[in-house]
Amino acid sequence: MEEIRAQMSTIEEPRHPSYVKYALEDILIIIMCGVLCGLDTLGDLVVYAKSKADFQRETFGIEKIPSKATLGRILSMVDGKQNGDVILDVLRERFGTMGEVIAVDGKAICSTARGENSHKALQILSAYVTGSGITLAQETIHEKTNEIPVFQEMLTYLDIESKVVTADAMHCQRETSRRIVQKKGDYLFGLKENQPSLLADVRLFFEDNIHRDQWESCQTAEQNAGWIEKRICRKATDISWLEVHKWPGLRSVFAIERIAEDHGHHREETSYYISSRDACPRLLMDLAREHWKIESMHWMLDVTFSEDSCRFLSENPHKTLNSLRKFAPALHKHFLEPV
């Protein structure tokens, strides 16, 4: 517990010393404990802190419980970026960063949108180790930019050596691929219309059955919520015909066909991928599926922690609370793991 207090004490104090009644780290620890319990409003945080006053005093040495107004004021004043980085540092130091796949994805906090323009909502890009549930890094995406340059900047400090970085088709960019390979990592990207000529060539290859002898394949099937879903992964054994695209580090292209059936209902789709990792079709399909774990984490932020309903007006509280919400499921996951 002293470790957490020591980490919190490194956060810059935004208040004038003459106005400090409650230690900053005490307030942040109270907020952290409340969020870990699934609370998402200032009123609930205060009720929690008062009901757990003995626990707060015995565990963290917190003698006084601040008011709702004080909690809200501190959340708005404290640098959300710095606070979030400290929280993620605690997470990484306690549980490490073991795992092969780093999934990168952005999430908008819908309540921060202005009027009907959802594109003006605060967005946070996260790099997430799917195996351990640890968030390695997060960056805010502002109105005048998008995920692509923010992700590329994130790659300047992320340690991705020997990792596979997955992202959706937006990030299927030559420069992004080049940076990942340069840092001794591998990429695996969905391929869509933002790379039209490459997509057209790959799609034609897999749709034209005359190339059947030039791919390897595997198939899986599973039942989920009444649906029986079959997945077929086909990987090209020779991609020399794609050299014309001059894609950095490209070593494999593959297609995943998903066929789902439920009591006469039928749906199917085919997705295409490129990667700098050369592996068997089964492993490539597993790596592609790992990306959905960050989508699951974002879903949990909304459903379990009601992030999209959070009504703070400034960015700082959202950045801090977003980090704590990511901290909570990771902490629970590792607490419940057998020793």
Side-chain angles (χ1 to χ4, degrees):
M1 298 305 174
E2 289 302 318
E3 173 195 355
I4 293 177
R5 175 173 287 280
Q7 292 275 33
M8 293 292 189
S9 67
T10 65
I11 297 172
E12 183 178 350
E13 171 63 76
R15 300 169 292 178
H16 189 279
S18 61
Y19 293 101
V20 174
K21 182 178 179 181
Y22 306 93
L24 180 61
E25 54 266 35
D26 287 355
I27 295 173
L28 295 176
I29 287 172
I30 288 171
I31 294 170
M32 178 191 73
C33 291
V35 174
L36 289 177
C37 293
L39 304 178
D40 50 38
T41 68
L42 292 175
D44 287 344
L45 289 174
V46 172
V47 171
Y48 160 81
K50 290 180 177 178
S51 68
K52 297 292 184 181
D54 291 342
F55 167 79
Q56 300 284 348
R57 182 175 57 255
E58 294 168 6
T59 308
F60 298 105
I62 299 173
E63 298 291 343
K64 298 182 291 184
I65 305 300
S67 66
K68 173 181 174 181
T70 299
L71 291 183
R73 188 163 55 250
I74 292 301
L75 275 173
S76 296
M77 294 172 67
V78 172
D79 186 320
K81 167 65 174 171
Q82 185 189 19
N83 202 2
D85 287 345
V86 167
I87 293 163
L88 297 184
D89 283 344
V90 172
L91 195 57
R92 290 189 293 266
E93 288 176 12
R94 289 184 68 87
F95 304 117
T97 58
M98 296 298 292
E100 184 179 15
V101 177
I102 298 175
V104 176
D105 192 39
K107 179 188 179 298
I109 300 177
C110 295
S111 62
T112 62
R114 301 175 193 172
E116 300 297 322
N117 192 345
S118 61
H119 295 291
K120 291 188 177 181
L122 173 66
Q123 296 185 63
I124 297 177
L125 185 72
S126 303
Y128 179 77
V129 184
T130 62
S132 61
I134 304 299
T135 300
L136 287 180
Q138 62 182 34
E139 295 288 347
T140 303
I141 304 167
H142 291 284
E143 288 180 34
K144 295 182 180 180
T145 185
N146 59 53
E147 288 187 22
I148 296 171
V150 175
F151 180 25
Q152 292 175 354
E153 180 63 24
M154 187 183 282
L155 287 170
T156 63
Y157 63 83
L158 271 182
D159 180 9
I160 60 171
E161 185 172 353
S162 301
K163 307 284 190 182
V164 178
V165 180
T166 68
D168 61 27
M170 176 193 302
H171 297 290
C172 189
Q173 307 284 335
R174 285 179 176 81
E175 177 60 19
T176 304
S177 300
R178 184 190 66 77
R179 294 190 183 204
I180 292 172
V181 173
Q182 192 175 54
K183 295 201 69 175
K184 300 180 180 179
D186 284 306
Y187 59 80
L188 192 155
F189 296 143
L191 182 59
K192 289 188 178 178
E193 285 74 12
N194 62 324
Q195 298 295 340
S197 61
L198 181 57
L199 173 62
D201 285 351
V202 172
R203 177 184 283 151
L204 180 61
F205 175 83
F206 286 112
E207 288 182 348
D208 193 339
N209 283 327
I210 65 172
H211 299 297
R212 185 179 294 274
D213 61 341
Q214 298 177 41
W215 66 54
E216 302 172 3
S217 64
C218 74
Q219 179 174 316
T220 64
E222 65 179 40
Q223 186 168 351
N224 185 18
W227 289 88
I228 298 176
E229 183 170 274
K230 181 169 66 174
R231 301 183 190 90
I232 304 168
C233 180
R234 302 190 299 276
K235 174 207 167 188
T237 55
D238 176 16
I239 60 168
S240 58
W241 47 277
L242 287 174
E243 289 179 0
V244 65
H245 293 280
K246 301 186 185 324
W247 200 275
L250 182 61
R251 297 185 64 197
S252 62
V253 297
F254 60 102
I256 299 179
E257 182 181 4
R258 301 174 182 87
I259 304 170
E261 295 182 348
D262 176 31
H263 298 94
H265 298 284
H266 179 91
R267 66 186 184 202
E268 60 181 87
E269 63 175 358
T270 301
S271 301
Y272 302 96
Y273 301 86
I274 64 171
S275 180
S276 61
R277 171 70 65 90
D278 188 14
C280 67
R282 180 56 187 265
L283 178 56
L284 289 171
M285 181 162 59
D286 289 343
L287 291 172
R289 291 196 72 195
E290 280 292 296
H291 186 74
W292 290 103
K293 290 184 179 179
I294 192 172
E295 302 282 359
S296 177
M297 185 267 286
H298 285 163
W299 178 87
M300 184 179 295
L301 296 185
D302 284 338
V303 175
T304 303
F305 295 97
S306 305
E307 182 166 80
D308 275 349
S309 301
C310 192
R311 294 293 175 181
F312 285 101
L313 297 178
S314 65
E315 287 188 3
N316 279 330
H318 289 290
K319 294 176 184 177
T320 296
L321 293 172
N322 177 267
S323 301
L324 286 171
R325 292 172 186 131
K326 291 169 181 169
F327 183 65
L331 186 64
H332 284 292
K333 170 184 170 67
H334 289 276
F335 179 78
L336 294 172
E337 285 181 345
V339 295

